[in-house]
Amino acid sequence: MIKKINIKNYKSILDTSLDLSPFTLLIGANGTGKSNFLQFLKAISDILNDRPSNLPKHINYNSSEQKFIFTDEKERILKLVDQQEDHHSEPLHFNFQIDNESDIMDFEELKKDIRYKQHPLISILRNVLIFSLDPENAGRQEDLVPNPVVLENGSGVVQVLDALKTGDREDLFDKIEYTLSQFISEIEKLSFLPNKNVKQLQVREKYISTPILVSQLSDGVKLALILITIVFQERPPSLICIEEIDRGLHPRLFGKIVELCFNMANRDNMPQIIATTHNPYLVDQFKDNENAIVIAEKREGKTFFTSLNERLANLKSGEEPLGELWYSGYIGGIPHEGV
């Protein structure tokens, strides 16, 4: 798990750090840098996979050094440093340092090092995806394809589940089915409408005589199904980033979605989850898990990250809900006047 990230000079993020949990919620006003942070993680992933990438510097600090430090729960470190003064130089050239050792490597040297494939932080960062989930995609009919995965918009769930059920990983299908039934107790099993090359998903509910198409279920159930399938598919991302995790959800489902994410992310060998929101009612669900909330703010054109715990420690308050404290401006992370 990535425990801490120090970021120096990426887009609006000039020089700040943030601590992460197995499931982290990132809050803040529009334009404060939440999406920039997720895009940063994906850009680092592209670099470590030797794919074309873009890591622009802050517009006011084009000639300054870029430095990124990742630390895991066992204090292992991965450091990337680019000292090019011309940020338009191609290709990007980062030097790498692992676990504070004296050896500094360029990327070609890093790829030859055994730690490139075995170092936990590199393994996580090479497998990052940003999801902007549309619950409707869980209920749509899908053509069958080889080696399916859940895509960034949530499509591919039917393809993945069919491949697990008909292939040699029915154990994963059973795990997805069981976890969904724990989330929605009325659901007993998942199945498919019979068709050779095109499949649509349905569920069997208790006390209902015939299966129900997933397309007819609530957005909360469909979102839960997508999240569970992302985590338990055969080749899940190591780091799952979700933009606006509450999109389209009824507020009564927020607690279940948060509980589901905490339960999955806190299991051994499960992906780490980072999600963004603007919804104070979702923030309310993090009572007793305040350490998992990070506040994004922008001051003088620069993004800063602060833990909610740090803000609460300096705040004299009663038992106000977390979302109310945020909405009222007591913990920061709200739009400035006139915005």
Side-chain angles (χ1 to χ4, degrees):
M1 185 191 88
I2 301 174
K3 179 182 176 183
K4 183 170 183 158
I5 305 177
N6 301 79
I7 305 173
K8 184 175 181 180
N9 207 355
Y10 171 77
K11 288 189 175 181
S12 64
I13 308 171
L14 181 62
D15 193 355
T16 190
S17 64
L18 69 165
D19 295 319
L20 299 177
S21 301
F23 173 38
T24 301
L25 187 69
L26 194 58
I27 65 174
N30 289 320
T32 52
K34 299 187 301 296
S35 293
N36 281 350
F37 173 66
L38 300 187
Q39 292 162 10
F40 160 76
L41 293 171
K42 186 62 170 65
I44 295 295
S45 182
D46 288 339
I47 287 174
L48 291 172
N49 282 292
D50 207 8
R51 295 192 294 255
S53 184
N54 184 26
L55 277 166
K57 299 181 179 181
H58 193 292
I59 193 169
N60 292 339
Y61 300 91
N62 288 337
S63 62
S64 299
E65 174 188 69
Q66 280 187 310
K67 181 188 293 184
F68 313 123
I69 304 173
F70 299 85
T71 307
D72 72 5
E73 72 279 10
K74 295 185 178 180
E75 303 302 322
R76 290 171 293 211
I77 289 173
L78 174 67
K79 184 186 298 184
L80 292 76
V81 181
D82 177 19
Q83 295 176 312
Q84 292 181 124
E85 292 192 0
D86 180 7
H87 78 296
H88 296 294
S89 296
E90 293 292 345
L92 287 171
H93 182 80
F94 281 90
N95 290 320
F96 297 81
Q97 189 174 8
I98 296 175
D99 297 337
N100 277 337
E101 294 183 7
S102 58
D103 294 341
I104 298 176
M105 299 172 278
D106 63 22
F107 187 62
E108 294 304 317
E109 292 173 317
L110 178 69
K111 287 191 293 185
K112 297 173 184 176
D113 193 296
I114 191 171
R115 293 170 296 182
Y116 176 64
K117 292 185 177 180
Q118 295 183 351
H119 195 281
L121 283 166
I122 294 177
S123 297
I124 293 171
L125 289 166
R126 290 185 69 200
N127 195 6
V128 176
L129 277 181
I130 301 175
F131 293 91
S132 182
L133 301 177
D134 180 356
E136 291 301 314
N137 284 327
R140 292 198 172 105
Q141 182 174 276
E142 293 184 348
D143 297 326
L144 301 185
V145 298
N147 304 315
V149 295
V150 182
L151 302 179
E152 287 89 341
N153 64 358
S155 63
V157 167
V158 178
Q159 296 167 342
V160 168
L161 289 172
D162 179 78
L164 296 176
K165 183 70 173 177
T166 59
D168 64 350
R169 294 310 309 269
E170 193 169 0
D171 61 310
L172 294 177
F173 180 92
D174 293 343
K175 190 173 291 188
I176 292 168
E177 185 178 64
Y178 173 77
T179 305
L180 183 65
S181 71
Q182 296 297 296
F183 180 74
I184 304 292
S185 60
E186 290 82 5
I187 292 178
E188 292 186 322
K189 65 176 296 183
L190 294 166
S191 60
F192 302 90
L193 281 177
N195 201 316
K196 184 176 181 180
N197 297 316
V198 178
K199 293 289 178 73
Q200 193 167 6
L201 198 61
Q202 58 189 8
V203 300
R204 173 76 69 175
E205 287 194 5
K206 295 176 182 176
Y207 316 116
I208 304 297
S209 58
T210 59
I212 301 171
L213 288 173
V214 167
S215 60
Q216 298 175 5
L217 301 177
S218 71
D219 281 355
V221 176
K222 288 184 280 193
L223 178 58
L225 177 60
I226 294 173
L227 287 171
I228 294 167
T229 307
I230 290 170
V231 171
F232 289 115
Q233 63 186 318
E234 192 168 4
R235 296 175 299 279
S238 300
L239 182 55
I240 297 170
C241 302
I242 307 172
E243 290 268 24
E244 302 299 334
I245 190 171
D246 55 289
R247 181 179 300 164
L249 281 184
H250 190 282
R252 286 186 178 274
L253 291 169
F254 292 163
K256 284 193 171 185
I257 287 293
V258 169
E259 181 183 3
L260 178 69
C261 289
F262 270 118
N263 286 343
M264 291 192 298
N266 278 294
R267 297 178 187 177
D268 291 338
N269 301 316
M270 286 289 102
Q272 190 170 1
I273 301 173
I274 302 173
T276 69
T277 188
H278 290 108
N279 198 315
Y281 297 108
L282 185 70
V283 174
D284 285 339
Q285 310 307 315
F286 280 73
K287 181 175 173 55
D288 301 324
N289 289 290
E290 292 86 351
N291 62 306
I293 293 183
V294 173
I295 304 166
E297 295 176 292
K298 187 182 283 185
R299 301 190 293 272
E300 298 179 350
K302 299 184 284 288
T303 293
F304 296 90
F305 298 108
T306 309
S307 71
L308 176 58
N309 267 350
E310 182 178 335
R311 289 289 166 83
L312 292 176
N314 298 321
L315 181 67
K316 294 181 179 179
S317 64
E319 294 297 321
E320 297 93 336
L322 296 176
E324 178 63 26
L325 289 173
W326 177 34
Y327 182 80
S328 301
Y330 290 111
I331 59 173
I334 61 171
H336 296 294
E337 291 184 9
V339 176

